[in-house]
């Protein structure tokens, strides 16, 4: 029986490495990690874990075809803040995402999972139009839906804040924030979709899911951390940041990531995902660092 290969982009980053670990631990699929430099220290560590590592450049569609050739599935993600991307046009990230989609179609990939975010411009009716790292990914959503490539979209929350000093720019203390423990939960979400896209296509293909572990205000999160580490914790809305990051938080505070969604996503839970919320993160991660 031939291996069921899943090509994983962003393999040396937080998202891709979460997916790689989940695939390796489950054993159903054979992960193929894509990186610009297969001989880097991070890439060599991935090889030691048992994953195949191949070279791929998101600017080069032919290299992407090679990286996906023979793969059943793909996990796609882009990093707007990668200097090689951010040095280009602010919307160049869209090109990289559509390159992945085009390459997947060209080599016959069966299922594509895309890591995305809300479209701030669209949701805010143009009020927040310069949060490029959100809008770019959402614009790839549109391209993916129009492509006829079998896919699912995972809309992520913000990574759980890994400090007990909660200083967030431009955020209402009572507004809910949408968190994901990427290392523990994102890989689970991708694996669940890969495991079930064939036997449950009507409920997976073409759908947008919410990879969000927990939903609470930063004021509530401060109390969760305080309970775990036994030290006073408070949330402060302030601190310096660049314009795009500041607008990102202003958007989240005013509109919320996914205000009409049930969190955690019950559809993912029915597929077997067990989310780990902020209390678990505080107990398992912050307590050993700060208690």
């Amino acid at each position: 029986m031939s291996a069921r290969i899943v090509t994983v982009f962003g393999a040396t980053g937080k998202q891709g490495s979460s997916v790689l670990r989940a695939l390796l631990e489950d054993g159903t699929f054979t992960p193929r990690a894509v990186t610009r430099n297969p001989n880097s220290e991070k890439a060599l560590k991935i090889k030691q874990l048992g994953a195949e590592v191949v070279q791929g450049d998101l600017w080069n569609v032919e290299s992407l075809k090679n990286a996906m050739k023979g793969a059943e599935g793909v996990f796609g993600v882009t990093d707007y803040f990668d200097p090689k991307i951010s040095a280009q046009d602010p919307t160049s990230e869209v090109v990289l995402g559509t390159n992945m989609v085009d390459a997947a179609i060209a080599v016959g990939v069966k299922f594509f999972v895309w890591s995305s975010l809300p479209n701030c411009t669209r949701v805010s009716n143009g009020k927040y139009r310069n949060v490029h790292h959100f809008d770019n990914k959402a614009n790839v959503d549109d391209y993916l839906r129009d492509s006829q490539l079998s896919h699912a979209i995972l809309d992520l929350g913000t990574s759980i804040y890994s400090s007990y000093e909660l200083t967030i720019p431009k955020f209402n203390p009572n507004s809910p924030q949408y968190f994901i423990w990427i290392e523990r939960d994102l890989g689970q979400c991708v694996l669940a979709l890969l495991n079930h896209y064939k036997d449950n296509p009507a409920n997976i293909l073409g759908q947008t899911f919410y990879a969000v572990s927990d939903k609470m205000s930063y004021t509530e999160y401060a109390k969760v951390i305080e309970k775990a580490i036994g030290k006073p914790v408070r949330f402060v809305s302030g601190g310096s940041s660049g314009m795009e990051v500041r607008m990102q938080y202003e958007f989240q505070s005013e509109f919320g990531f996914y205000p009409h969604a049930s969190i955690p996503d019950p559809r993912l839970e029915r597929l077997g995902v067990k989310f780990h919320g902020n209390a678990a993160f505080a107990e398992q991660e912050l307590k050993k660092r700060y208690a």
Side-chain angles (χ1 to χ4, degrees):
M1 190 175 190
S2 59
R4 300 178 68 186
I5 298 170
V6 174
T7 295
V8 179
F9 288 90
T12 58
K14 186 181 287 189
Q15 291 193 36
S17 61
S18 177
V19 175
L20 278 174
R21 285 195 302 273
L23 295 175
L24 287 167
E25 289 172 8
D26 178 73
T28 303
F29 301 93
T30 300
R32 177 187 290 162
V34 184
T35 179
R36 282 194 297 259
N37 180 8
N39 296 313
S40 70
E41 183 177 349
K42 288 183 177 180
L44 294 175
K45 287 182 178 179
I46 290 172
K47 287 181 182 178
Q48 291 173 357
L49 293 175
E52 178 188 4
V53 179
V54 299
Q55 193 276 337
D57 183 346
L58 294 181
W59 296 101
N60 185 323
V61 175
E62 289 305 314
S63 80
L64 300 183
K65 290 179 184 177
N66 290 333
M68 298 183 199
K69 188 175 182 180
E72 175 182 339
V74 170
F75 171 71
V77 63
T78 51
D79 180 6
Y80 174 82
F81 295 103
D82 181 329
K84 290 183 177 294
I85 298 175
S86 58
Q88 307 294 323
D89 181 276
T91 62
S92 62
E93 188 182 15
V94 178
V95 175
L96 306 185
T98 58
N99 282 351
M100 276 190 272
V101 173
D102 291 344
I105 293 170
V107 299
V109 166
K110 304 299 183 185
F111 184 54
F112 189 100
V113 181
W114 172 243
S115 172
S116 194
L117 290 166
N119 189 311
C120 296
T121 300
R122 191 179 301 159
V123 172
S124 70
N125 291 316
K127 182 175 181 178
Y128 298 107
R129 59 175 62 251
N130 291 308
V131 190
H132 301 294
H133 65 291
F134 277 54
D135 288 4
N136 290 342
K137 294 176 180 65
N139 287 332
V140 176
D141 294 0
D142 297 336
Y143 187 84
L144 184 55
R145 291 188 186 102
D146 291 341
S147 72
Q148 304 304 310
L149 174 64
S150 294
H151 70 275
I153 295 167
L154 278 172
D155 273 350
L156 271 65
T158 192
S159 183
I160 296 181
Y161 205 72
S162 58
S163 170
Y164 76 93
E165 297 177 348
L166 293 176
T167 302
I168 307 295
K170 296 289 186 177
F171 211 98
N172 186 310
N174 298 312
S175 292
Q177 180 59 291
Y178 296 71
F179 298 93
I180 178 171
W181 188 350
I182 290 176
E183 294 87 346
R184 290 290 297 271
D185 291 349
L186 179 59
Q188 279 195 81
C189 295
V190 175
L191 176 62
L193 295 174
L194 285 163
N195 274 331
H196 293 287
Y197 82 94
K198 286 185 175 181
D199 61 45
N200 197 3
N203 293 314
I204 292 178
L205 299 184
Q207 300 299 308
T208 297
F209 298 85
Y210 302 101
V212 179
S213 309
D214 213 338
K215 173 186 174 184
M216 64 177 64
S217 70
Y218 280 107
T219 302
E220 292 170 323
Y221 185 31
K223 293 178 181 176
V224 169
I225 300 172
E226 190 171 281
K227 180 180 178 181
I229 70 174
K231 295 179 181 179
V233 178
R234 69 189 184 102
F235 164 67
V236 177
S237 178
S240 61
S241 63
M243 182 184 73
E244 179 158 346
V245 172
R246 187 184 74 248
M247 290 185 68
Q248 162 197 327
Y249 282 112
E250 288 179 357
F251 166 81
Q252 292 169 19
S253 180
E254 182 174 350
F255 291 94
F257 270 95
Y258 317 112
H260 305 298
S262 296
I263 301 300
D265 191 330
R267 298 168 300 168
L268 290 171
E269 291 183 311
R270 286 194 290 271
L271 294 175
V273 176
K274 299 184 185 303
F275 286 98
H276 301 80
N278 291 19
F281 182 83
E283 281 291 331
Q284 296 173 37
E285 295 295 325
L286 298 184
K287 188 173 183 177
K288 62 187 178 185
R289 298 182 209 171
Y290 302 116

